[in-house]
Amino acid sequence: MPRFYNQEELDRIHKAEMGILKDFMKICDENGLKYFAFAGTGIGAVRHGGFIPWDDDIDVALPRRDFEKFIEIVEREMGDKYYVLNTERDHNFPLTSTRLCIRGTRFVEWAFMNVKSDFGIFLDIYPYDNFPDNEFLYFVQKWRAWILSKLLILRSVDEPVIFQEGIKGAIVKEGCKLAHKLLVFLRIDKYDIYKRCMKVCKQYNNRKTKRFGYPCDTKPDWNTLYKKKTFPCVKWKFEDVELNFPKDMKAMLHNFYGDTYMELPPVEKRKTHFPYILDFGDGERVVSRK
């Protein structure tokens, strides 16, 4: 059963994340950077006009070139307010995505409770890279990147979040623990895994392709979008802003969640990043209990 916030905590997290989102949008709009929200943020917009009621994050993406420009600008112009958390800047960070975090806050998920990294309240930012038009080359790229991204997580975490249940779930958990021990025993360098993964992700960025995406998610083809179905983006209401989303929202959401994305999932399948440590930066710290 997933853990959930009390409403006051969740409201404060939503308010903090909307503040980050508005600054993100301002930088992108003022500098002509392409971006869009997707995944659960898209469901929230379509089904709820904002956050999914129990959700606690916002997912945005940029093409790799725009992503790199954004990182440069936000660190230069808003470094006093935010810091960028990714493996480039912190080799202990176990993900291939990037987080824009509020300085002075803490948000440590249960899965990362033993990871020595500077986790804060964040906006999730995903760089999208080109996928080749050739189906075989696409298959090879997405699976190589996906496997390397999971090895990066397992190098730091022995019990990552998995969604399998029953006997299959138990087998996967034991396999993760074994893989973690082996990677640690062999002293496999975390940053080396990350660099190899990035090389695979970026290998077609010097070519014109029809598709792009982020292959390092829960499934390697979840974040595969056709560019002509993404741009120009459309605006959907999300809380009190008009937020960019892929032009073909239905195709994007179907790719992630199938035909049932408008249905509320049962409680046991509702996902949050419920934290082990939550500190809003005002001296109030919540250490959650199992």
Side-chain angles (χ1 to χ4, degrees):
M1 182 70 67
R3 305 179 187 93
F4 294 107
Y5 302 87
N6 65 51
Q7 195 58 51
E8 180 184 359
E9 289 172 349
L10 189 57
D11 288 345
R12 291 188 70 184
I13 289 172
H14 286 174
K15 182 178 179 180
E17 291 179 354
M18 285 303 298
I20 312 173
L21 177 65
K22 289 173 183 178
D23 285 336
F24 168 84
M25 293 169 62
K26 184 174 186 291
I27 289 176
C28 290
D29 292 341
E30 289 180 351
N31 292 277
L33 304 180
K34 290 182 178 179
Y35 73 92
F36 53 90
F38 67 106
T41 306
I43 288 184
V46 171
R47 198 169 66 196
H48 305 282
F51 286 98
I52 295 172
W54 58 87
D55 200 7
D56 58 357
D57 77 334
I58 299 172
D59 300 311
V60 295
L62 305 90
R64 175 69 68 173
R65 183 176 299 178
D66 295 273
F67 166 81
E68 290 175 350
K69 290 180 180 177
F70 172 81
I71 296 301
E72 177 187 339
I73 294 167
V74 75
E75 288 188 320
R76 183 180 67 242
E77 298 184 0
M78 302 193 76
D80 59 333
K81 187 174 182 180
Y82 300 112
Y83 63 96
V84 173
L85 181 60
N86 57 26
T87 313
E88 290 283 352
R89 286 152 181 78
D90 181 350
H91 293 186
N92 284 323
F93 186 66
L95 304 174
T96 53
S97 58
T98 287
R99 294 181 174 184
L100 185 62
C101 303
I102 303 173
R103 288 196 180 278
T105 66
R106 291 274 284 160
F107 190 108
V108 182
E109 298 164 55
W110 276 96
F112 299 152
M113 61 186 293
N114 295 317
V115 177
K116 295 180 180 179
S117 194
D118 191 15
F119 297 104
I121 295 175
F122 64 95
L123 175 72
D124 254 332
I125 306 178
Y126 295 81
Y128 267 40
D129 294 298
N130 284 350
F131 289 142
D133 297 333
N134 179 280
E135 290 300 323
F136 175 74
L137 294 178
Y138 166 59
F139 177 87
V140 172
Q141 182 196 20
K142 70 179 182 180
W143 279 105
R144 284 183 67 200
W146 185 86
I147 290 170
L148 286 166
S149 71
K150 300 309 170 253
L151 289 175
L152 178 63
I153 294 173
L154 288 173
R155 177 59 179 82
S156 297
V157 179
D158 64 346
E159 289 192 53
V161 176
I162 64 169
F163 297 97
Q164 291 89 350
E165 299 175 349
I167 295 176
K168 184 177 180 181
I171 293 172
V172 171
K173 287 181 180 179
E174 290 305 313
C176 288
K177 291 178 181 179
L178 180 61
H180 171 74
K181 290 178 180 178
L182 183 61
L183 290 167
V184 173
F185 175 76
L186 294 175
R187 298 184 179 180
I188 302 298
D189 185 73
K190 300 173 188 177
Y191 191 54
D192 182 62
I193 299 173
Y194 171 79
K195 287 190 295 183
R196 291 172 61 193
C197 185
M198 288 301 99
K199 184 177 180 180
V200 174
C201 288
K202 297 176 182 180
Q203 68 184 113
Y204 296 103
N205 284 353
N206 61 345
R207 303 185 189 181
K208 289 186 177 181
T209 65
K210 296 178 182 178
R211 296 174 292 190
F212 66 159
Y214 175 78
C216 304
D217 211 324
T218 305
K219 296 181 180 179
D221 51 2
W222 262 6
N223 286 283
T224 299
L225 298 178
Y226 281 90
K227 296 175 184 178
K228 68 178 182 180
K229 292 185 177 183
T230 304
F231 302 115
C233 291
V234 295
K235 299 282 188 182
W236 282 76
K237 180 181 181 296
F238 189 85
E239 300 297 329
D240 60 345
V241 301
E242 295 290 319
L243 184 57
N244 284 355
F245 287 93
K247 180 171 63 175
D248 192 342
M249 275 279 275
K250 183 177 180 180
M252 182 272 289
L253 292 175
H254 182 273
N255 197 46
F256 270 86
Y257 307 108
D259 293 325
T260 61
Y261 61 84
M262 290 300 290
E263 300 176 11
L264 289 176
V267 173
E268 65 272 13
K269 293 187 180 296
R270 296 179 183 181
K271 179 184 175 184
T272 73
H273 296 84
F274 193 77
Y276 170 67
I277 295 175
L278 175 60
D279 182 352
F280 289 99
D282 54 5
E284 180 177 347
R285 176 167 295 191
V286 177
V287 180
S288 53
R289 299 182 298 274
K290 285 188 177 181

